[in-house]
Amino acid sequence: RYDDAATLFDEFRRKFGRSPFMEDAEGMYALCYYYMAPSPERDQSLTSQAIIAITEFISRYPESKNIDKFNDMLDDLTGRLMKKSYLNAYTYYKIGRYKSAIVAFKNAMKRHPDSPYAEEMMYYMTVSAYRLADNSVESKQVDRFLSMIDAYYSFIAEYPESKYMRELDNIAERSRD
């Protein structure tokens, strides 16, 4: 019952601010939120709260014997947020909302530039740009194909040895035509 424990630890922190057990209480408070944080497929509100709690613990107790454990937890939670951003954008791609997918992938890249999903996000952004252009009315196709070509060149600049190069080369050629 981590939610009840977090509430009690928070109450302890507020009532007994000078307690010799404060470090333990704040560590346990952060741990409660860490254990309540859901998988990336679910709402990440608790993940954000866990990141705040762990970051506060790390800043208040940089000499703690558990600092490495808390840094690992922070990395894990950040990874969950990165995956959540990727999954949200990918959902737009899967349902054929290519304009929304492009915006969501760009936002995910801005929010998490060091994401392990960066190559896939740029790939899907490029493919989304192609499909958006291909399915557009004739008056908007030229601009959208040019945007796709820009996305393609950005991709090859970042990932020249990518496994997606052959497919992207083909759609870039079709876009030029």
Side-chain angles (χ1 to χ4, degrees):
R1 299 188 33 192
Y2 296 116
D3 54 341
D4 292 338
T7 303
L8 292 172
F9 281 123
D10 190 36
E11 188 176 310
F12 178 87
R13 293 179 338 154
R14 279 188 262 126
K15 284 184 179 176
F16 305 106
R18 295 182 178 196
S19 170
F21 303 109
M22 186 55 87
E23 180 179 339
D24 291 336
E26 289 195 1
M28 296 292 216
Y29 174 75
L31 277 175
C32 289
Y33 275 103
Y34 175 76
Y35 291 130
M36 287 191 299
S39 65
E41 293 79 16
R42 301 184 60 208
D43 178 42
Q44 295 299 302
S45 303
L46 287 173
T47 303
S48 298
Q49 289 177 323
I51 288 173
I52 292 167
I54 291 171
T55 304
E56 286 177 359
F57 179 84
I58 290 171
S59 68
R60 286 189 186 130
Y61 306 102
E63 302 298 321
S64 172
K65 64 181 180 183
N66 296 320
I67 202 75
D68 292 335
K69 180 180 175 184
F70 281 96
N71 281 323
D72 291 342
M73 288 188 290
L74 194 58
D75 291 342
D76 176 45
L77 294 171
T78 304
R80 291 182 199 186
L81 291 179
M82 287 179 191
K83 186 167 186 179
K84 180 66 175 180
S85 292
Y86 168 73
L87 291 174
N88 284 345
Y90 183 70
T91 300
Y92 286 118
Y93 173 81
K94 278 194 327 189
I95 63 173
R97 300 286 182 135
Y98 300 118
K99 196 171 189 179
S100 298
I102 293 166
V103 170
F105 282 123
K106 282 181 181 177
N107 288 339
M109 293 290 291
K110 283 180 192 170
R111 204 172 304 120
H112 307 289
D114 57 340
S115 172
Y117 307 101
E119 182 178 356
E120 286 83 7
M121 287 193 286
M122 287 188 75
Y123 165 75
Y124 286 120
M125 198 175 353
T126 306
V127 173
S128 295
Y130 172 74
R131 291 185 180 170
L132 176 66
D134 197 40
N135 295 326
S136 293
V137 294
E138 200 169 318
S139 63
K140 294 184 178 186
Q141 279 187 328
V142 173
D143 289 336
R144 289 182 175 173
F145 276 122
L146 288 173
S147 294
M148 182 274 160
I149 297 296
D150 286 342
Y152 167 75
Y153 284 128
S154 295
F155 182 87
I156 62 173
E158 285 286 323
Y159 305 102
E161 302 295 322
S162 174
K163 63 183 178 184
Y164 301 116
M165 283 308 297
R166 181 172 292 178
E167 180 184 351
L168 291 179
D169 287 340
N170 290 336
I171 64 173
E173 189 62 38
R174 282 187 252 146
S175 296
R176 286 186 196 104
D177 291 343

